[in-house]
């Protein structure tokens, strides 16, 4: 059985425990590789290596660091097909999506931050004849980067690239559910000659390996993307140690469709924003609110489009929805559909396991895309993050009501608004409690923009200058003239 290995101090190593975790292919339900069951000893080795590498890496010229970032990006691009296959096998997502989105974005993260750091500058504040202030921005030291399973290489590199570009060394942990492309990234770092210890990748369970990174006294900054409950647990350990924390957490994103929308675009975008990656994108719109005047027509057209989506083997070119990432997550989704029924929801389509698409996929975890109506904002189905191919749909009458419904959960990650009225678009965007608002669009990303959520969706922002600020400490220096 193929063994994924830790990448510590420039080498691929087995875990100290000698233990291994099964790695499943979601489309078949079968174990296809083994993951190191690392513990605090592996994390300690990784942190020690990262500390040793820090003085040289942090004082290397910006151009020198940038050069490594660009070489990694180029190598990801050269190994694109292999990485896309690995991502699809490991996660269950359609191969077409991994080819188009996940892997190009992994390369883009390294390329973007490799370039951005060459333009990164600090501020001066002139006080005239008194003197002036200037701000030094220095890397923090060893950064801990922990990422989830839904966009494995994409989100892993979204943290690692800015941390390295800013001059930190890194100890990173991918999700134990989807570790394969992080492992291939280790190989790439070796291939491009990244100095030992600059990036260390330790695999294992969150509560063991992840927790050891968070608790390590020599890791002063933690960048975490994952669930809100995990974010709370990490904060409870890291905050009393005064670590710098960036938390990108869960969402329950509203999708507002006004009567004055561009109907066809709103419909097509809503299908995508509901079910892309089997609904397993933190930015998916899982609560659809449609204005009464077009509600009946929209629901009928939406259901027709959703029923036409092809649930299939992720490897097949025309598959729209692949497999759910794990058996636990598959069962969690089914339990939420059952809860929605108990709460009085009407299942308009889907609502059950999908037939396996072919013999290879016997044992895989496939779910029908599910649309539920008739639930009010207060019920658990509309309050809790399901993170799968399950959405609710409800009518609203006025703009005020739409905003109240959109803001009516503890989350505040992203929101989508469909309207042709410019004033309404601006007004609603300003009122929504969300870190990201898309008007007449969804998931359009520009890596320079701030990314993150409010309320239970997180603390801090990633992306562009925000990420380079997070991974550096500012020190103001005043010079008396
Ligand atoms: P998760 O919180 O279970 O795990 C995320 C990562 O944290 C994994 O690597 C896991 O091993 C690790 N971990 C778990 N417990 C830990 C602990 N106690 N200490 C340190 N590390 C620990 O999340 P998941 O199920 O992998 O991902 C799904 C969640 O991620 C959803 O809630 C989704 O909304 C969220 N998400 C958010 C964003 C965003 O940008 N806001 C993006 C993608 C996913």
């Amino acid at each position: 059985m193929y063994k994924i290995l830790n990448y510590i101090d420039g080498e691929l190593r087995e875990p100290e425990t000698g233990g291994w975790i099964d790695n499943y292919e979601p489309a078949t339900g079968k174990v296809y590789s083994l993951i190191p069951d690392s513990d605090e000893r592996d994390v300690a080795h990784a942190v020690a290596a990262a500390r040793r590498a820090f003085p040289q890496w942090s004082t290397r010229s910006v151009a020198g660091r940038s050069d490594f970032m660009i070489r990694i990006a180029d190598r990801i691009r050269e190994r694109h097909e292999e990485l896309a296959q690995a991502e699809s096998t490991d996660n269950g997502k359609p191969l077409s999506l991994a080819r188009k989105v996940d892997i190009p974005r992994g390369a883009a993260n390294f390329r973007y931050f490799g370039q951005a750091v060459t333009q990164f500058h600090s501020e001066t504040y002139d006080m005239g004849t008194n003197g002036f202030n200037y701000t030094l921005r220095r890397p923090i030291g060893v950064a801990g980067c922990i990422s989830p399973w839904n966009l494995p290489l994409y989100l892993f590199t979204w943290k690692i690239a800015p941390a390295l570009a800013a001059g930190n060394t890194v100890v990173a942990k991918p999700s134990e559910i989807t570790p394969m492309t992080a492992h291939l990234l280790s190989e790439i770092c070796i291939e491009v000659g990244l100095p030992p210890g600059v990036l260390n990748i330790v695999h294992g369970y969150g509560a063991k390996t992840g927790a050891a990174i968070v608790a390590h006294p020599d890791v002063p900054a933690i960048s975490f993307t994952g669930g809100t409950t995990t974010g709370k647990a990490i904060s409870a350990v890291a905050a009393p140690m005064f670590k710098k924390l960036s938390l990108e957490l869960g969402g329950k994103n509203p999708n507002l469709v006004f009567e004055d929308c561009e109907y066809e675009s709103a419909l097509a975008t809503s299908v995508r924003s509901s079910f892309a990656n089997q609904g397993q994108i933190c930015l998916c719109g899982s609560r659809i609110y449609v204005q009464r005047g077009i509600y009946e027509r929209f629901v009928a057209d939406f259901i027709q489009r959703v029923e036409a989506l092809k649930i299939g083997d992720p490897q097949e070119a025309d598959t729209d929805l692949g497999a759910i990432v794990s058996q636990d997550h598959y069962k969690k989704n089914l339990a939420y559909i059952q809860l929605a029924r108990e709460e009085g929801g009407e299942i308009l389509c889907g609502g059950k396991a999908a037939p396996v698409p072919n013999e290879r996929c016997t044992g895989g975890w496939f779910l029908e895309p599910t649309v539920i109506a008739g639930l009010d904002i207060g019920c658990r189905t509309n309050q809790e993050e399901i993170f799968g191919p399950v959405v609710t749909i409800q009518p609203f009458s006025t703009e005020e009501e739409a905003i109240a419904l959109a803001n009516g959960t503890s989350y505040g990650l992203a929101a989508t608004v469909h309207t042709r009225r410019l004033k309404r678009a601006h007004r609603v965007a300003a009122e929504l409690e969300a870190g990201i608002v898309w008007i007449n669009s969804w998931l359009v990303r520009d890596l320079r923009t701030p990314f993150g959520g409010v309320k239970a969706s997180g603390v801090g922002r990633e992306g562009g200058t925000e990420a380079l600020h997070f991974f550096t400490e500012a020190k103001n220096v005043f010079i008396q003239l």
Side-chain angles (χ1 to χ4, degrees), residues 52-69 71 117-118 137-139 164-169 192-198:
R52 283 194 299 276
F54 181 73
Q56 273 214 334
W57 181 253
S58 57
T59 54
R60 189 178 278 263
S61 70
V62 167
R65 288 202 302 269
S66 169
D67 191 43
F68 272 113
M69 304 283 104
R71 274 150 71 185
V117 73
T118 66
R137 284 222 160 250
R138 292 285 153 82
L164 293 180
N168 303 279
T169 52
V192 303
L194 189 71
V198 169

Side-chain angles (χ1 to χ4, degrees), residues 56-260:
Q56 273 214 334
W57 181 253
S58 57
T59 54
R60 189 178 278 263
S61 70
V62 167
R65 288 202 302 269
S66 169
D67 191 43
F68 272 113
M69 304 283 104
I70 305 291
R71 274 150 71 185
I72 294 172
D74 287 345
R75 198 66 194 119
I76 292 175
R77 206 170 52 186
E78 284 160 17
R79 293 181 66 173
H80 172 270
E81 183 56 23
E82 179 196 358
L83 284 158
Q85 293 275 356
E87 202 72 294
S88 170
T89 303
D90 214 23
N91 174 279
K93 68 177 64 207
L95 177 57
S96 56
L97 189 68
R99 278 184 181 141
K100 201 169 137 211
V101 177
D102 293 75
I103 308 309
R105 177 56 193 276
N109 288 338
F110 274 104
R111 187 173 311 283
Y112 169 76
F113 283 108
Q115 291 166 342
V117 73
T118 66
Q119 310 298 313
F120 187 46
H121 55 87
S122 57
E123 311 95 62
T124 51
Y125 298 95
D126 189 357
M127 296 179 73
T129 50
N130 271 340
F132 65 92
N133 301 273
Y134 64 88
T135 306
L136 292 172
R137 284 222 160 250
R138 292 285 153 82
I140 302 168
V142 180
C145 298
I146 301 174
S147 61
W149 49 257
N150 62 320
L151 300 165
L153 187 69
Y154 174 139
L155 288 174
F156 196 52
T157 54
W158 179 234
K159 301 179 172 303
I160 291 170
L164 293 180
N168 303 279
T169 52
V170 170
V171 175
K173 193 195 92 64
S175 169
E176 63 275 27
I177 298 169
T178 53
M180 189 57 90
T181 47
H183 174 57
L184 297 177
L185 179 67
S186 311
E187 292 182 3
I188 286 174
C189 291
I190 294 170
E191 285 164 6
V192 303
L194 189 71
V198 169
L199 171 62
N200 304 273
I201 299 175
V202 190
H203 296 270
Y205 289 117
K208 199 197 277 187
T209 317
I213 296 172
V214 173
H216 200 295
D218 294 330
V219 180
I222 303 288
S223 173
F224 169 77
T225 299
T228 296
T229 308
T230 314
K232 269 187 203 164
I234 288 176
S235 303
V237 175
M241 296 173 84
F242 305 112
K243 297 194 178 206
K244 241 184 147 177
L245 267 180
S246 171
L247 301 171
E248 301 291 340
L249 309 177
K252 190 76 182 172
N253 308 312
N255 172 12
L256 307 182
V257 182
F258 286 91
E259 280 164 11
D260 54 26

Side-chain angles (χ1 to χ4, degrees), residues 22 53 85 87 109 142 151 167 175 191 203 213 238 274 307 312 322 362 393 413 417-418 420 431 461 468:
D22 288 339
Q85 293 275 356
E87 202 72 294
N109 288 338
V142 180
L151 300 165
S175 169
E191 285 164 6
H203 296 270
I213 296 172
S274 302
E307 284 180 336
T362 311
I393 193 159
L413 186 54
V417 182
H418 293 282
R420 274 186 296 200
E431 290 299 318
R461 291 293 177 278
L468 294 174

